[in-house]
Amino acid sequence: MLTMSDSPTVGTEPVWHDRYRLSPARVIARLLRRGLIQPVPGNAVRYELTPKGQAALSDIDGWLWIHEYYLPDVIDFAHVLTLPWLHPKIDYHFIEHMLAEAKAKYADDATYQALLLRHQLRLEYDTHHDTDAIQTLMALIDADLDPQPDGTELTYQTTWAKMSEFEKNILKTLLGRLNWTLADFEMQFSAWLDQQPRRPRVFTRFELMTIVMYEIGGATPQLCALYKKAAARAKKQAAAAADEMCDA
């Protein structure tokens, strides 16, 4: 960042402290002492790599993984350096391991779980681990299509419980990479849902698969009708449960 940016203020940007827990002035002084960087001739606020610095950069692949997939307190330099064990290699599998640990740690936090799934999906998608990515996408869709009670009427137009443009675009690309049709995905998604623990849901499993089909096809009227039907069913079930409690 320091040597590749055209901005003279890169050394004072908050990202150094917020993401890397570093003091730019101290780091620059240390790099200068070690002969890894030098001021650009005629410009005291910009720096360039020395030959020694160029050579040092050839051995930072592991740290680039942390830089690229940074996530506070999960995948960051300060957190990794404090681990009681040192992974033999910081690579794709290391990042997956750190995300899996975070998902286990925050298993009861649905919002953070969804954030971790999005992060994992980007990792798998970027690195063309497409079979892993499609599985993670299924989990993310399942999580996002789970309306949480907030006292408002569930409608397609207003709810957050629907597929995002990010998910739809990722799905379309993965279908091409895997040479799948949408029907292939529906079949795999159905099998994946069958393996998940059963729990109360607003949408049935068939409705979840149908929502994906409608979203990819841009069938907004059908989506509105499906959400309306699911909301009415949930309301009826809640009323019946309340009646049972009163009778008891």
Side-chain angles (χ1 to χ4, degrees), residues 70-106:
Y70 167 82
L71 190 62
D73 299 321
V74 178
I75 304 165
D76 65 30
F77 294 101
H79 178 59
V80 170
L81 290 173
T82 60
L83 292 175
W85 53 275
L86 185 61
H87 195 279
K89 184 178 182 183
I90 299 175
D91 56 9
Y92 168 82
H93 299 290
F94 175 84
I95 303 299
E96 284 270 90
H97 176 79
M98 299 304 291
L99 288 169
E101 282 197 339
K103 285 193 291 183
K105 182 178 179 180
Y106 300 101

Side-chain angles (χ1 to χ4, degrees), residues 97-172:
H97 176 79
M98 299 304 291
L99 288 169
E101 282 197 339
K103 285 193 291 183
K105 182 178 179 180
Y106 300 101
D108 296 329
D109 188 335
T111 300
Y112 197 58
Q113 285 288 319
L115 183 149
L116 292 169
L117 284 171
R118 289 187 185 91
H119 211 76
Q120 180 178 348
L121 177 58
R122 186 171 74 86
L123 166 69
E124 292 163 350
Y125 176 84
D126 289 349
T127 56
H128 285 256
H129 288 79
D130 298 328
T131 302
D132 292 333
I134 205 78
Q135 294 280 325
T136 302
L137 178 60
M138 292 173 189
L140 183 57
I141 291 171
D142 183 43
D144 283 347
L145 294 180
D146 190 12
Q148 301 300 309
D150 60 3
T152 61
E153 188 75 18
L154 173 66
T155 66
Y156 177 73
Q157 295 92 332
T158 60
T159 185
W160 289 96
K162 51 188 168 188
M163 282 185 71
S164 66
E165 289 301 318
F166 167 74
E167 290 163 352
K168 286 186 275 189
N169 290 334
I170 291 286
L171 176 55
K172 291 174 184 177

Side-chain angles (χ1 to χ4, degrees), residues 38 57 65 97 106 120 127 174 180 215-216 223 226 231:
Q38 62 189 10
L57 281 184
W65 281 97
H97 176 79
Y106 300 101
Q120 180 178 348
T127 56
L174 288 175
W180 284 10
E215 286 283 7
I216 297 301
L223 284 163
L226 189 155

